[in-house]
């Protein structure tokens, strides 16, 4: 859960500075298997969180965030070994 007020101090260089580039590695949930997070859902949650904390830049931000490769796959592989 995100706090309702931004946590950045006035004048922070992180304010409106993070641009989201690529969000990959997610998978849609298979109702017969373990819950997953799709790229679209993760991207939406990430965008919302950064926006709530006044860190999201809509375009040309000095920081570009790229995500990929969730750890859920490793957990699934370990479960198959048991």
């Amino acid at each position: 859960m995100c706090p309702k007020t931004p946590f950045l101090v006035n004048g922070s260089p992180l304010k409106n500075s993070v641009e989201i580039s690529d969000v990959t590695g997610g998978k849609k949930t298979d109702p017969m298997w373990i819950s997953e997070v799709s790229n679209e859902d993760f991207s939406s949650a990430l965008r919302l969180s950064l926006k709530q904390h006044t860190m999201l830049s809509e375009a040309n931000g000095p920081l570009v965030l790229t995500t990929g490769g969730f750890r859920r796959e490793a957990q699934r592989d370990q479960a198959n070994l048991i």
Side-chain angles (χ1 to χ4, degrees):
M1 185 170 160
C2 292
K4 293 184 182 189
T5 57
F7 66 88
L8 294 179
V9 297
N10 289 336
S12 171
L14 292 176
K15 188 168 182 87
N16 301 320
S17 66
V18 180
E19 177 183 345
I20 300 172
S21 177
D22 296 321
V23 176
T24 61
K27 292 184 178 182
K28 292 188 178 183
T29 297
D30 177 350
M32 300 300 289
W33 192 239
I34 299 172
S35 292
E36 301 284 357
V37 177
S38 70
N39 292 338
E40 296 81 18
D41 290 343
F42 183 65
S43 179
S44 294
L46 183 58
R47 185 172 302 283
L48 177 62
S49 180
L50 290 172
K51 187 173 186 175
Q52 287 178 334
H53 293 294
T54 67
M55 296 171 69
L56 182 64
S57 171
E58 292 300 330
N60 300 321
L63 302 173
V64 178
L65 179 62
T66 302
T67 68
F70 295 103
R71 300 185 123 241
R72 185 62 132 176
E73 290 300 316
Q75 292 173 352
R76 179 184 292 169
D77 290 344
Q78 289 173 359
N80 289 336
L81 295 176
I82 298 174

